[in-house]
Amino acid sequence: MKTFKEKLKSSGPKRILALDGGGIRGALSLGYLKHLEDLLRKQHKNNELLLSDYFDLIGGTSTGSIIASALAIGMSVDEIKQKYFELGTKIFGRKYKWYRIFEIDDLMKARYDHKALDEELQGVFGDLTLGDSHALKTGLCIVAKRADTNSVWPLLNHPDGKYFDSEHGKNGSIPIWKAVRASAAAPTYFLPQSIDVGGDMGQAAFVDGGVSMANNPALKLLMVATLSGFPFKWEMGEDKILLASVGTGMTKWKRLPKKIQKNHLLNWAAELPEMLMQDASWQNQKVLQWLSNSPTAQHIDGESGDLDGDLLGFGKGKREPLLHYLRYNVTLDVDEMNKRFKPSKPYTQKDIDSLAAMDNAKNCQALYDLGLAAGAQELDQKHFPESFKIT
């Protein structure tokens, strides 16, 4: 298979994989990815094929950045699953203790001890940096949020990036584990991550990339791949770019008007992050369906529908799709999941609330199995046209 440097020089269609944030619910994404890996291996008649062989750019936010980076260094989904389950149990199992008075400042700022996360990420990625072209098998984009400037940072391994190795920045020297730690520094869960980004930037303070419009990073990755300010500069077209986006499950918002009217300040403070993250994800979905004739198009709302027949792109005197877009995700809702999966023991609201929690590591296997079952229903060989098959 091609090395990353060979991929950068090659022409032909390009393939992008985008992975959502969502805490421990990344295990659900892994279930989808296992099915995707098996599907592509069957298509290519190669039982050793890795997702890093197929995709030219893999990126993610928060927990998605952990999985994306592991894929980019050539790990199989089975290998990542084992590491991820271990990681989840350790990082969400070490809370700050009230009696650790010497860490009282950290205790007041975060729920979990970041040292466990640091240790586990270093165990997976070691001393590898974003500039290590031998270890990274494909393009990598780690989406983080720079809190001191309130800007979304796509940390790239492309050697021609403006901030890769120049007077402006030295992103290529950033350890992968530290970039991932920055992307996964969810406020209230973990402390922010400080990184020396080099050049005239100096020290930067990062928080979870999900505190932005890019918790679902699919649209951001398309921009990184095609906008002239970024180094890839890939040409858009339905037969030129395939973008596959994988979620971590989305809760269904159902609130009675009377209950909303009774909300007090603490209710709103707790609910606003989830409300904004869902809005951002749906906006991503809407725009990407607007740009494509997606075979996985979802119903957006009562007025937009699934945007069938709506195309933003224009070329050759007519409206044309600008990419081949795929989206896979599960709605975490009692009625929908019981109807869809028909479990022997029906889901209860308590089950759904537990699965929706972003820090319940006990759910790793259940979330993975859910993603695997959903992947079996949703993924289709036809979603990955022969024109995007690698040679």
Side-chain angles (χ1 to χ4, degrees), residues 162-350:
K162 181 177 181 180
Y163 299 101
F164 185 81
D165 185 15
S166 71
E167 60 182 344
H168 303 294
K170 304 287 183 181
N171 289 357
S173 63
I174 296 175
I176 292 175
W177 80 263
K178 193 169 285 191
V180 170
R181 165 71 172 84
S183 178
T188 75
Y189 286 91
F190 300 105
L191 292 174
Q193 175 67 45
S194 180
I195 297 179
D196 183 355
V197 294
D200 52 18
M201 295 283 185
Q203 288 288 328
F206 290 93
V207 293
D208 195 305
V211 190
S212 71
M213 288 288 288
N215 188 61
N216 171 348
L219 185 58
K220 188 67 177 179
L221 285 179
L222 181 64
M223 293 177 178
V224 165
T226 60
L227 293 181
S228 60
F230 293 100
F232 293 94
K233 297 179 176 62
W234 291 340
E235 185 180 357
M236 294 186 74
E238 189 175 30
D239 59 345
K240 295 180 173 63
I241 289 185
L242 180 150
L243 171 58
S245 172
V246 182
T248 58
M250 180 177 285
T251 56
K252 193 167 185 178
W253 203 262
K254 292 188 292 189
R255 301 289 188 275
L256 292 173
K258 290 182 179 179
K259 185 176 180 181
I260 293 294
Q261 290 171 351
K262 292 180 181 179
N263 268 5
H264 50 66
L265 289 175
L266 292 178
N267 289 135
W268 284 115
E271 292 180 354
L272 280 174
E274 176 71 11
M275 293 171 73
L276 294 173
M277 285 171 63
Q278 287 207 19
D279 278 349
S281 186
W282 279 114
Q283 187 72 356
N284 268 263
Q285 181 72 7
K286 191 172 186 177
V287 171
L288 288 166
Q289 287 183 196
W290 197 11
L291 293 170
S292 65
N293 279 326
S294 176
T296 62
Q298 299 178 28
H299 178 84
I300 304 295
D301 56 47
E303 293 176 310
S304 303
D306 63 2
L307 281 79
D308 183 32
D310 288 312
L311 285 173
L312 182 61
F314 194 85
K316 300 178 182 177
K318 62 179 181 178
R319 297 287 179 181
E320 289 188 341
L322 295 177
L323 76 156
H324 183 73
Y325 169 62
L326 306 165
R327 173 67 173 173
Y328 305 107
N329 204 9
V330 174
T331 300
L332 300 175
D333 175 77
V334 173
D335 295 334
E336 289 194 25
M337 288 177 58
N338 283 327
K339 181 179 179 180
R340 178 177 175 182
F341 299 109
K342 297 179 175 58
S344 56
K345 181 183 177 183
Y347 289 103
T348 65
Q349 188 58 51
K350 184 179 179 180

Side-chain angles (χ1 to χ4, degrees), residues 71-88:
L71 290 172
I73 63 172
M75 292 177 70
S76 69
V77 175
D78 284 340
E79 290 172 322
I80 297 172
K81 176 192 171 187
Q82 180 182 352
K83 292 287 185 182
Y84 191 90
F85 282 24
E86 293 172 0
L87 181 149

Side-chain angles (χ1 to χ4, degrees), residues 72-128:
I73 63 172
M75 292 177 70
S76 69
V77 175
D78 284 340
E79 290 172 322
I80 297 172
K81 176 192 171 187
Q82 180 182 352
K83 292 287 185 182
Y84 191 90
F85 282 24
E86 293 172 0
L87 181 149
T89 300
K90 291 177 181 177
I91 67 173
F92 288 119
R94 193 188 297 181
K95 290 187 177 182
Y96 285 109
K97 304 298 184 182
W98 66 268
Y99 53 79
R100 290 165 67 177
I101 304 300
F102 58 92
E103 291 180 335
I104 190 66
D105 189 49
D106 288 350
L107 175 62
M108 296 298 290
K109 296 175 184 175
R111 194 179 309 173
Y112 292 96
D113 187 345
H114 68 92
K115 296 184 183 69
L117 177 58
D118 294 357
E119 292 167 3
E120 292 306 310
L121 292 177
Q122 289 178 69
V124 175
F125 300 108
D127 297 326
L128 298 178

